[in-house]
Amino acid sequence: MSSRLIEWAQQQLQEISEAGLYKHERLIDSPQGVEITLADGRKVINFCANNYLGLASHPRVIGAAHRALDRWGYGMASVRFICGTQTIHRELEKAIADFLHCEDSILYAACFDANGGVFEPFFGPEDAIISDELNHASIIDGIRLTKAKRFVYKHLDLADLEEKLREAQSARFRVVVTDGVFSMDGDYAPLDKILELTQRYDAMLLVDDSHATGFVGATGRGTPEKFGILGAPNLILTGTLGKALGGAMGGFVAGPAPLIALLRQRSRPYLFSNSLSPVIVATAKEIFTWLSETTELRDRLEANTRRFREGLTRAGFDIKPGDHPIVPIMLYDAVLAHRMADALLEEGIYVIGFSYPVVPRGQARIRVQLSAAHTFEHIDKAIEAFTKVGRALGVLKGAVVG
Ligand SMILES: *Cc1c(COP(=O)(O)O)cnc(C)c1O
């Protein structure tokens, strides 16, 4: 029996390989940052991390983590409700809630766990969950763990969403679920319009703001700030500490206090998984304090994003319009996207090509992600390298030459 399984796994791996879908992991031999060293010694400028605010190895963050390690220790070796809650765990939950204009929040080991644990305690067979078709895998899995009726609406399609809300009117509870920002296109869910629909049809709104918390919106409070719905009474947010907010580990749910309190009693990834390391908790607290004091980091990220998007557009690239630091550079052809990423690495620019099944067939691209830690020199070097490689591969629109 075991040998049959092992043979099957080997066949699967071969099929993945033959289909050209095998994911190879590049080894990094330095801290995460905008300038990294690969295991083969190459020094490259990194344009593919979720390190939006440049905090992953920022000196202030490392300093806070060192102090936290000495003050609070390394691990908790307990779930929260036995002996895994330090004062800082509650302080961080309050800081997240305050930052996001919510009543309370609850920590998880990751946003994957937050999404895995946020549906099942609330929604049963008599309820309806209405979900954007491009929502993150962890949302899809979280919904699967419930017995609720499922409705999937077309990506960002408000008319289809309204139709699903109507179909779900006999349910006890309804919740509309969406990513705030979708990671492949960097496009936003129009939360003002979605909120209006949820209120008209008496539904909750759950937004996973993993690609937004800390930098989207005028003061970095995410897509609810960008669309003017912060503090809406029927709003539940999930998010990650693993992207802009230091990039270590950790996730959260924020929302109305009774819902958060019930999650503490019933949410399985919270109840049956270890407490978040005090090093992460105390450091994240410092990061929220920092982001509450000043918008300098998200402002720099915004300026960097604008410079990169304008530079590539001027060079004649086909990029998806928008203002998010996720910049999809459309090549449509999978082989071309991967060849272009390889050629850019030769130029010292670390980017990744995305193709089916990560994006739809015929939608292959390079996805660049900007960081507040990039300097204008980094960005200009990238624009220059993209232009050189793009010209060599013949992907530039003739528009502006020179
Ligand atoms: C990255 C991401 C997650 C997973 O977050 P982790 O904290 O890394 O588990 C969940 N949802 C969305 C939309 C994400 O982009």
Side-chain angles (χ1 to χ4, degrees):
M1 155 64 195
S2 64
S3 71
R4 279 197 293 121
L5 173 63
I6 291 164
E7 276 167 31
W8 176 83
Q10 278 166 338
Q11 277 164 11
Q12 290 291 303
L13 287 167
Q14 199 172 337
E15 281 174 30
I16 293 170
S17 237
E18 282 165 4
L21 300 176
Y22 197 95
K23 293 178 206 57
H24 296 275
E25 298 177 2
R26 281 207 184 94
L27 300 180
I28 296 173
D29 190 34
S30 66
Q32 181 65 283
V34 292
E35 292 181 12
I36 55 173
T37 308
L38 302 181
D40 62 12
R42 272 188 288 183
K43 292 189 191 320
V44 295
I45 310 173
N46 187 2
F47 282 93
C48 52
N50 297 313
N51 187 21
Y52 295 113
L53 295 176
L55 298 179
S57 54
H58 192 287
R60 178 165 169 184
V61 172
I62 292 173
H66 277 298
R67 287 193 301 280
L69 186 60
D70 291 338
R71 169 67 176 86
W72 298 100
Y74 173 66
M76 286 311 294
S78 169
V79 297
R80 288 285 297 274
F81 76 92
I82 296 181
C83 54
T85 303
Q86 293 168 316
T87 51
I88 49 174
H89 289 79
R90 273 308 285 151
E91 286 164 15
L92 176 58
E93 286 168 339
K94 290 193 177 116
I96 292 171
D98 286 347
F99 189 76
L100 297 175
H101 297 211
C102 291
E103 286 177 5
D104 202 356
S105 86
I106 176 173
L107 293 170
Y108 287 81
C111 188
F112 208 106
D113 293 301
N115 287 335
V118 72
F119 296 102
E120 192 263 346
F122 302 134
F123 304 108
E126 60 276 54
D127 304 313
I129 303 177
I130 305 169
S131 175
D132 186 292
E133 65 180 340
L134 293 190
N135 277 343
H136 191 263
S138 55
I139 293 177
I140 295 167
D141 286 8
I143 294 171
R144 275 190 193 145
L145 293 172
T146 74
K147 295 192 164 67
K149 287 187 205 69
R150 294 148 207 200
F151 297 85
V152 175
Y153 63 95
K154 292 198 199 87
H155 182 50
L156 304 184
D157 185 330
L158 296 170
D160 195 31
L161 169 58
E162 181 161 12
E163 199 173 304
K164 300 296 188 292
L165 277 163
R166 264 198 224 111
E167 281 174 43
Q169 275 310 287
S170 63
R172 179 186 58 163
F173 304 136
R174 281 163 293 287
V175 62
V176 173
V177 189
T178 182
D179 286 13
V181 174
F182 293 82
S183 64
M184 284 302 134
D185 286 347
D187 50 345
Y188 299 95
L191 294 187
D192 47 351
K193 300 199 179 81
I194 293 177
L195 183 83
E196 200 210 322
L197 282 174
T198 60
Q199 294 185 336
R200 190 171 338 139
Y201 289 91
D202 186 26
M204 297 296 289
L205 172 58
L206 192 151
V207 178
D208 176 346
D209 227 12
S210 289
H211 282 285
T213 308
F215 59 96
V216 165
T219 64
R221 280 159 173 80
T223 50
E225 181 177 33
K226 185 178 174 74
F227 289 96
I229 68 157
L230 274 176
N234 62 331
L235 181 62
I236 304 169
L237 294 168
T238 67
T240 182
L241 305 178
K243 290 187 171 110
L245 303 168
M249 280 301 289
F252 57 83
V253 179
L259 300 188
I260 302 303
L262 190 57
L263 289 175
R264 275 188 221 287
Q265 303 303 313
R266 299 253 173 93
S267 181
R268 292 163 69 83
Y270 180 82
L271 289 168
F272 300 109
S273 186
N274 195 30
S275 189
L276 207 52
S277 164
V279 178
I280 292 175
V281 172
T283 308
K285 213 162 68 82
E286 167 94 12
I287 289 170
F288 276 101
T289 302
W290 188 0
L291 300 185
S292 304
E293 287 164 0
T294 165
T295 60
E296 61 180 342
L297 292 173
R298 57 88 50 215
D299 293 347
R300 208 174 310 149
L301 175 61
E302 191 170 72
N304 286 350
T305 300
R306 194 177 311 121
R307 190 176 183 93
F308 184 79
R309 281 180 173 273
E310 284 174 4
L312 250 66
T313 304
R314 209 176 307 120
F317 280 96
D318 176 7
I319 66 176
K320 293 230 176 196
D323 62 9
H324 195 274
I326 291 172
V327 185
I329 297 141
M330 300 308 295
L331 298 159
Y332 305 101
D333 179 77
V335 175
L336 183 61
H338 294 294
R339 263 178 61 201
M340 179 137 177
D342 289 344
L344 282 162
L345 192 65
E346 294 301 314
E347 300 292 323
I349 305 297
Y350 187 11
V351 292
I352 294 286
F354 287 83
S355 52
Y356 181 82
V358 181
V359 294
R361 273 185 214 281
Q363 290 285 307
R365 67 195 64 186
I366 285 174
R367 182 183 70 173
V368 158
Q369 290 170 286
L370 281 307
S371 170
H374 286 124
T375 61
F376 278 1
E377 285 78 32
H378 290 137
I379 291 166
D380 293 347
K381 257 180 106 166
I383 295 168
E384 207 176 296
F386 264 94
T387 307
K388 177 177 165 191
V389 170
R391 194 171 287 148
L393 293 174
V395 301
L396 299 184
K397 283 178 277 186
V400 187
V401 185

